[in-house]
Amino acid sequence: MKNYRFISISGTGRSGTNITKDILSKHPDVGTLPFEHRFTIDPKGLVDTFNTLRFTWSPYVVDYKINELENFLKLIGKRKFWRYQLGQLIKWLNRYGLNITPPAYYAWELSKWFPDYFEMVEKLIQQLTDFKYRATWPGAAPFNQNNQMRFVSYEKNLANIFGRFIQNLYQSFLKAHNKTHFVEDNTWSILFGPELFTMLPQIRFIHVLRDPRDVVVSFLNQKWTPNELDQCIDYYISIISKIIENKKKIPAENILEIRLEQLVEEPEKIMGQVCKFCDLDYMDDLLKIDLSKSNKGRWKLELDVNEQQRLNNKLKNYIDLFGY
């Protein structure tokens, strides 16, 4: 029986998670997806549902959240033709500055990557649901005749159920591709590290750290972040503060921290550490990749003197903490 490994590469965003995954993806034992699957950490996903059922339990809440989770997992499981075409059209229009939000997850199709995806989703919902009963409440979905509500007991061991679902999905992908290590790079997974570890104790996190000033300046050019300097600084501080807090809640043997700058300057040494942490044999072929575009020190090039001073002043605690 193969010993499967699950590795999550995470950071603040714009810290080097993508390039780290790209390097590991060259290993013959590693399986990766060409996108962030998002079903674990996004709103309406597994962690959101897990936390809500634990901390804000009520019969109405559990019915609402299980229905919401089922609809979300089905939405990202299969593309609908019209939604995908509309999303592509909006993507094209946005090149001309329209800035229209496309249909949610219009390009996602997890059933293409995870064998038996919909069967596993159905099994998950069945395992979460203790029973159904005919009833309604003011927030129930409209126009249902003889509406059925789902019940999930307050004492239910949710972590095991969600953990088995994640494990079975990852293993189905690995078996289909004859791999042993599933590596994903949902950028903010470490923001939910304690919950993911509770569900999946064998998960290992690689936290990719980068000079906070370079991260903030990189934020300025992203569609998913603020585009004003002081707002980006506050955005970064909140994210990194949560990461620092969460790292204390994850066993040391389950987390490895690397720095993007060291990865670029000493790739053999850092990737040797990464491979050891992941129980992989190091291979020289991993580094047949361009590491010259890390933009080290971009904050000095893209900000004026006053902006640099604001940046350094507001980030001083983190610059000192991380030794930058």
Side-chain angles (χ1 to χ4, degrees):
M1 183 177 178
K2 291 185 178 180
N3 192 10
Y4 294 108
R5 295 280 189 267
F6 311 125
I7 316 296
S8 179
I9 304 173
S10 185
T12 57
R14 307 305 299 169
S15 65
T17 55
N18 288 342
I19 191 65
T20 305
K21 186 192 80 168
D22 290 344
I23 295 172
L24 277 176
S25 69
K26 294 180 176 295
H27 198 287
D29 292 333
V30 169
T32 63
L33 299 175
F35 61 97
E36 297 181 8
H37 60 59
R38 313 204 65 86
F39 71 86
T40 51
I41 66 170
D42 272 17
K44 304 181 184 180
L46 300 192
V47 171
D48 179 20
T49 307
F50 178 61
N51 281 338
T52 302
L53 297 188
R54 287 194 300 164
F55 300 126
T56 57
W57 185 95
S58 82
Y60 293 169
V61 167
V62 298
D63 175 64
Y64 180 87
K65 292 301 290 186
I66 297 302
N67 287 332
E68 181 183 65
L69 175 65
E70 181 179 34
N71 291 334
F72 173 69
L73 293 176
K74 288 180 177 179
L75 173 69
I76 62 177
K78 182 72 174 177
R79 287 179 188 170
K80 286 186 168 57
F81 177 80
W82 69 267
R83 294 182 80 257
Y84 180 72
Q85 295 301 320
L86 179 58
Q88 291 291 88
L89 174 61
I90 291 174
K91 181 180 179 181
W92 179 80
L93 291 172
N94 285 345
R95 295 175 183 173
Y96 299 93
L98 294 184
N99 294 323
I100 302 171
T101 303
Y105 305 100
Y106 72 90
W108 266 249
E109 194 166 27
L110 294 190
S111 62
K112 176 182 175 181
W113 301 94
F114 296 109
D116 302 321
Y117 173 81
F118 284 109
E119 289 82 354
M120 292 187 192
V121 169
E122 182 179 1
K123 185 176 181 180
L124 169 67
I125 300 302
Q126 288 175 349
Q127 291 176 338
L128 288 172
T129 304
D130 290 328
F131 57 83
K132 293 181 181 181
Y133 58 104
R134 195 170 77 179
T136 189
W137 62 287
F143 312 121
N144 286 336
Q145 187 176 18
N146 297 322
N147 186 67
Q148 295 284 312
M149 291 181 61
R150 290 183 167 105
F151 182 78
V152 181
S153 65
Y154 178 64
E155 301 83 4
K156 201 174 189 77
N157 190 336
L158 300 170
N160 284 348
I161 297 173
F162 283 121
R164 283 197 303 269
F165 176 72
I166 299 171
Q167 181 173 321
N168 289 338
L169 275 186
Y170 288 174
Q171 287 186 359
S172 71
F173 175 86
L174 293 173
K175 290 176 182 177
H177 295 84
N178 195 28
K179 308 288 185 179
T180 55
H181 291 60
F182 185 85
V183 175
E184 59 94 2
D185 65 337
N186 286 295
T187 302
W188 289 335
S189 61
I190 199 167
L191 293 180
F192 309 94
E195 291 92 340
L196 291 171
F197 175 75
T198 300
M199 296 179 191
L200 204 64
Q202 64 268 50
I203 194 171
R204 299 183 186 183
F205 295 93
I206 299 174
H207 175 220
V208 186
L209 193 65
R210 184 186 184 189
D211 188 324
R213 294 162 293 190
D214 285 333
V215 173
V216 167
V217 171
S218 185
F219 278 170
L220 289 169
N221 301 313
Q222 305 306 310
K223 63 183 179 181
W224 46 272
T225 60
N227 56 17
E228 195 277 327
L229 180 61
D230 289 300
Q231 292 178 353
C232 282
I233 294 172
D234 292 342
Y235 193 83
Y236 171 84
I237 288 173
S238 289
I239 294 172
I240 197 64
S241 297
K242 181 67 172 176
I243 290 174
I244 292 169
E245 177 184 311
N246 279 357
K247 283 170 56 183
K248 298 174 184 177
K249 301 176 183 178
I250 302 170
E253 61 269 21
N254 286 70
I255 187 166
L256 173 71
E257 186 170 271
I258 65 173
R259 295 171 182 250
L260 176 62
E261 296 84 2
Q262 291 180 337
L263 176 61
V264 172
E265 294 167 4
E266 303 176 281
E268 295 89 354
K269 175 183 175 180
I270 300 304
M271 286 312 302
Q273 295 173 359
V274 169
C275 287
K276 182 178 180 181
F277 175 73
C278 297
D279 293 328
L280 289 166
D281 294 327
Y282 174 78
M283 307 178 70
D284 291 332
D285 286 349
L286 296 179
L287 297 177
K288 291 181 178 179
I289 193 168
D290 183 9
L291 294 174
S292 65
K293 300 177 180 179
S294 65
N295 289 320
K296 179 181 178 181
R298 66 182 296 180
W299 64 277
K300 298 177 182 178
L301 302 174
E302 299 184 22
L303 300 181
D304 62 34
V305 174
N306 290 332
E307 290 172 329
Q308 290 181 29
Q309 186 175 9
R310 280 159 52 202
L311 186 69
N312 278 307
N313 288 342
K314 293 192 73 172
L315 291 176
K316 183 180 186 306
N317 290 342
Y318 300 96
I319 295 169
D320 292 345
L321 177 64
F322 301 136
Y324 285 101

